[in-house]
Amino acid sequence: MERLKELVESVEKLGEHAESLKRKIEELSKLIEEKEKALEEVKSRLLEVEKKVLGVLKELKEKERELRELRHKIARHRKLLQDADSPREYERLLEQRNRLVERAEKLSSEIEELKKEYGELVFEENRLLDEEERLEKELRLLKRDYSYYLRELERILESLQQFICRSQERVSQ
């Protein structure tokens, strides 16, 4: 009878341990789900930022190309101003050159703004990449713990099943 009491206590302890593991597994499952959701959100934001970075780079290159062309035109107008035949032609060329210079100055400030925006976007992209890496690491650790607790629970269930089988064999004898 004493032996039976010890066996029942052992089974109860295994059951309590199994229940504890089950709760840990459920908690980890929820945490894994939350981390996966957070990771997907970070990846989505990262994709948006990467698209913005590409858009800003494209616009920046276009404006830099346009500025180079304007600078060449301004240089040509300098030469044309030197070779102007009449005061009227000189005034016309000077006015054109001034408009080109104004446009070049405007483009220069737009380029500076784009460079600033690009820098901010790259900073945000790096921050998101770091966050993505951190979440992936946390997720790996959670999944590792989840697997460990699941194997532990399987081991306990096997022990309980073996105990039941042995008990049935003893009863049948």
Side-chain angles (χ1 to χ4, degrees), residues 26 35-36 83-85 87 97 141:
E26 288 170 353
K35 292 292 180 190
E36 285 176 338
D83 298 340
D85 292 340
R97 184 183 138 309
L141 293 173

Side-chain angles (χ1 to χ4, degrees), residues 59-75 99-112 115:
E59 188 176 351
L60 186 60
K61 289 196 183 302
E62 288 172 3
K63 292 199 184 275
E64 286 174 338
R65 180 193 49 76
E66 186 179 346
L67 182 59
R68 276 191 307 277
E69 290 174 3
L70 276 173
R71 286 183 177 153
H72 287 297
K73 286 180 183 178
I74 291 169
R99 280 190 301 241
L100 292 172
V101 168
E102 283 178 29
R103 178 67 185 138
E105 289 171 352
K106 184 180 177 195
L107 270 175
S108 289
S109 67
E110 289 174 4
I111 287 170
E112 288 306 310
K115 285 179 179 180

